[in-house]
Amino acid sequence: MPFASDTRRQLALFGMALLAVLLQAAGLEMIGEREALLGPAIADAFNVERIASVSLGRTWKGLSEAERTEFTELLAALIVATYADRFDQYTGQRFVTDRVEAVRTGFVVYTTLERPGNSSVSLNYFLGIFNVVADGVSDLSLRRADYNSIVKKEGYASLLAHLRNKIKQARDRQ
């Protein structure tokens, strides 16, 4: 299965947006400015609706269309706010694509975030990006366990409040 040019373009745009935010971080004092730069690239590269449905599992099936839309929008805002919070300073970082591997559901792009003076971070993107594995830890698996635990113990409304709080926390770290 050839690595689709559209997938290559999405990954390139996402990587360029991350680097642009890092390179401009000193001039982008407000997290909202970083979010504005990252938002379109994340929306293009990440399949947020798929992340949402997999994250919620059975709960997703019981939601109305309006509830699914609300959850997906909150999740997208959280992803953007999290990246904007974490990519806030350029210290010579660079992304290196190690290899691309075809899998049953698409492609895995194995990359390394090299950070001079710090240890490198392995970032594997499962494309249409719906899962990012950082140093062997699956973001999607963590989300699914966390979100389903909240729904089971406290209910769906508490999960929405949890997401809103996480977005606020990422934005307030500024």
Side-chain angles (χ1 to χ4, degrees), residues 66-83:
E67 290 170 321
R68 287 179 179 186
T69 298
E70 178 183 26
F71 181 78
T72 301
E73 288 173 356
L74 278 172
L75 186 58
L78 177 60
I79 292 168
V80 172
T82 300
Y83 271 92

Side-chain angles (χ1 to χ4, degrees), residues 91-94 113-121:
T91 57
Q93 303 96 320
R94 70 184 195 111
L113 172 59
E114 294 180 350
R115 305 178 307 170
N118 292 306
S119 60
S120 296
V121 177

Side-chain angles (χ1 to χ4, degrees), residues 52-165:
S53 69
V54 172
S55 294
L56 289 180
R58 285 183 279 193
T59 300
W60 180 260
K61 294 174 185 163
L63 297 179
S64 69
E65 194 59 39
E67 290 170 321
R68 287 179 179 186
T69 298
E70 178 183 26
F71 181 78
T72 301
E73 288 173 356
L74 278 172
L75 186 58
L78 177 60
I79 292 168
V80 172
T82 300
Y83 271 92
D85 177 48
R86 292 185 182 159
F87 288 82
D88 66 343
Q89 183 178 17
Y90 182 69
T91 57
Q93 303 96 320
R94 70 184 195 111
F95 293 93
V96 176
T97 299
D98 301 317
R99 71 184 192 282
V100 177
E101 186 177 299
V103 294
R104 186 176 49 85
T105 58
F107 298 95
V108 180
V109 180
Y110 295 89
T111 66
T112 302
L113 172 59
E114 294 180 350
R115 305 178 307 170
N118 292 306
S119 60
S120 296
V121 177
S122 165
L123 296 169
N124 304 330
Y125 294 93
F126 290 72
L127 300 175
I129 299 178
F130 73 93
N131 191 18
V132 179
V133 177
D135 284 339
V137 179
S138 166
D139 182 57
L140 188 59
S141 293
L142 291 175
R143 270 185 218 285
R144 186 174 177 122
D146 187 34
Y147 295 174
N148 283 300
S149 174
I150 293 168
V151 168
K152 185 176 181 179
K153 291 178 185 172
E154 302 171 35
Y156 179 71
S158 290
L159 174 61
L160 296 179
H162 172 79
L163 291 178
R164 288 183 183 100
N165 187 48

Side-chain angles (χ1 to χ4, degrees), residues 1-5 8 102 107:
M1 170 181 355
F3 189 54
S5 62
R8 198 181 298 273
F107 298 95

Side-chain angles (χ1 to χ4, degrees), residues 17-18 20-42 79-90 170-174:
L18 287 175
V21 165
L22 284 171
L23 291 168
Q24 298 178 44
L28 300 173
E29 296 177 13
M30 300 300 292
I31 193 168
E33 294 171 300
R34 292 195 304 272
E35 286 182 22
L37 277 175
L38 287 171
I42 288 173
I79 292 168
V80 172
T82 300
Y83 271 92
D85 177 48
R86 292 185 182 159
F87 288 82
D88 66 343
Q89 183 178 17
Y90 182 69
R171 290 176 175 162
D172 286 350
R173 275 193 276 275
Q174 238 357 251

